[in-house]
Amino acid sequence: MEDVPTEPERLRLMAVHAHPDDESSKGAATMARYVDEGVDVLVVTCTGGERGSILNPALKDRPDIEENIAEIRRDEMARARAILGVEQHWLGFVDSGLPEGDPLPPLPEGCFALETVEEGTRRLVAEVRRFRPHVMTTYDENGGYPHPDHIRTHEISVAAFDAAGDPDQFPDEGEPWQPLKLYYDVGFSVERTTALHEAMLKLGLESPFEGWAERRKEWLEKSRPPKITTRVPVGDWFERRDAALLAHATQVDPKGWFFSIPLDMQREIWPTEDFELARSLVDSAIPEDDLFAGIRDLVST
Ligand SMILES: [Zn+2]
């Protein structure tokens, strides 16, 4: 049995991500909201993002940036985590890069996706046992996006959720701790994309989602559609989300489509970030509007 806490315990949320910038494009407004409400939020970043493409046209073809990309991305991450108000831990793996071409090139030696699931799980279990989250978030089995690091992030997150509370697994990595819920981020569901697309057209704006379903057809056909169980209202935190994403200056185009959707329209049409409850050891009524539903009464805050 756990000791009964003598001091009020704070709720803790751990968000596991593949690269620096993923935390700012998936669930960022949710994290900022929980931080403001007094929840301790920890982002775990599996890789350093060393192989991310430079997507900001103003920073392209700059040898000074390309040569120092690992360090630059650490600085960008430091700014993003300050904006969101989260703590952050690097898991220490090397970005696998997104293989492109036909046939796909082999993954680079020493990258995250070529490390064993067990090694990733071991490092994450150690961090779970140190931070002791009540809730964890990660990607679904399709990675939300077909990047090998995203798939591996999913694999080690699920494995760590299942192993961290088991004293027989990774006995050298700290005292067992069992998180109570595991969620998958649901970013661009068909429902949300369609709703935003129609609202843009109604306002007479050019929609970035024109042809979206067609472009993603192959992906949508082969991957399981996410099952949204939980919609967290976070419209008031959209500015913080966008500011955090813009802090990853090499990785985003500030004039790109992500920032072309008016925030007031987003607040009206889809004021939530959405999640799929993948594992739960507590009772909560679905649909939920809070990642800590069923947990708040158990933790003496
Ligand atoms: Zn990523």
Side-chain angles (χ1 to χ4, degrees):
M1 288 295 288
E2 296 288 339
D3 289 336
V4 176
T6 48
E7 283 178 30
E9 194 181 355
R10 286 164 70 97
L11 293 169
R12 290 179 297 276
L13 170 66
M14 171 187 278
V16 188
H17 288 287
H19 309 107
D21 77 7
D22 286 317
E23 83 295 330
S24 295
S25 59
K26 301 166 213 13
T30 300
M31 292 194 291
R33 177 186 157 168
Y34 282 124
V35 165
D36 285 359
E37 292 177 357
V39 173
D40 288 335
V41 180
L42 176 73
V43 170
V44 174
T45 312
C46 294
T47 77
E50 299 87 350
R51 291 195 171 88
S53 318
I54 293 172
L55 298 176
N56 185 341
L59 301 175
K60 270 194 171 142
D61 303 318
R62 289 256 308 265
D64 56 320
I65 291 178
E66 279 158 23
E67 282 159 23
N68 299 301
I69 191 68
E71 196 189 326
I72 288 168
R73 296 202 70 178
R74 289 184 89 87
D75 292 346
E76 291 175 346
M77 184 68 224
R79 282 194 285 280
R81 73 176 172 244
I83 290 166
L84 295 173
V86 299
E87 297 171 59
Q88 189 231 349
H89 174 78
W90 299 96
L91 216 52
F93 291 104
V94 175
D95 193 340
S96 307
L98 179 62
E100 283 173 306
D102 187 15
L104 290 174
L107 290 167
E109 206 177 311
C111 73
F112 181 36
L114 290 180
E115 299 268 1
T116 61
V117 172
E118 178 163 9
E119 174 57 15
T121 306
R122 182 186 69 76
R123 292 192 205 178
L124 188 54
V125 162
E127 197 53 19
V128 168
R129 288 176 178 170
R130 185 195 69 78
F131 181 68
R132 310 201 308 163
H134 302 99
V135 174
M136 289 174 66
T137 68
T138 187
Y139 315 134
D140 71 15
E141 67 278 13
N142 304 303
Y145 155 62
H147 192 301
D149 290 337
H150 285 234
I151 310 279
R152 182 50 57 88
T153 298
H154 161 80
E155 291 167 341
I156 70 167
S157 300
V158 173
F161 183 92
D162 291 340
D166 180 350
D168 295 331
Q169 297 203 54
F170 306 103
D172 299 333
E173 301 298 347
E175 289 292 306
W177 174 263
Q178 179 59 58
L180 298 172
K181 287 166 119 181
L182 175 71
Y183 287 94
Y184 299 152
D185 297 296
V186 180
F188 284 93
S189 59
V190 172
E191 295 88 336
R192 174 170 175 245
T193 310
T194 306
L196 291 174
H197 176 64
E198 284 169 3
M200 292 287 276
L201 295 183
K202 214 181 265 179
L203 284 178
L205 298 169
E206 197 182 318
S207 168
F209 302 114
E210 191 66 58
W212 181 85
E214 197 51 41
R215 287 197 298 280
R216 303 228 336 165
K217 196 164 181 276
E218 206 183 313
W219 166 255
L220 292 169
E221 275 169 6
K222 77 169 195 209
S223 52
R224 172 184 70 85
K227 185 175 178 296
I228 296 172
T229 57
T230 312
R231 298 187 61 186
V232 184
V234 290
D236 290 344
W237 287 268
F238 285 165
E239 279 87 355
R240 285 260 290 286
R241 172 199 66 191
D242 286 6
L245 191 55
L246 285 166
H248 293 282
T250 60
Q251 302 300 307
V252 293
D253 177 357
K255 296 196 180 73
W257 65 268
F258 194 94
F259 305 104
S260 72
I261 314 164
L263 292 184
D264 283 338
M265 194 201 85
Q266 293 188 43
R267 277 189 269 271
E268 193 190 317
I269 303 295
W270 208 276
T272 60
E273 285 180 337
D274 308 329
F275 298 85
E276 173 176 346
L277 181 60
R279 294 260 204 289
S280 181
L281 282 71
V282 299
D283 288 327
S284 60
I286 306 293
E288 309 172 316
D289 62 2
D290 176 16
L291 301 183
F292 293 94
I295 293 178
R296 289 179 189 274
D297 293 343
L298 303 176
V299 178
S300 59
T301 51

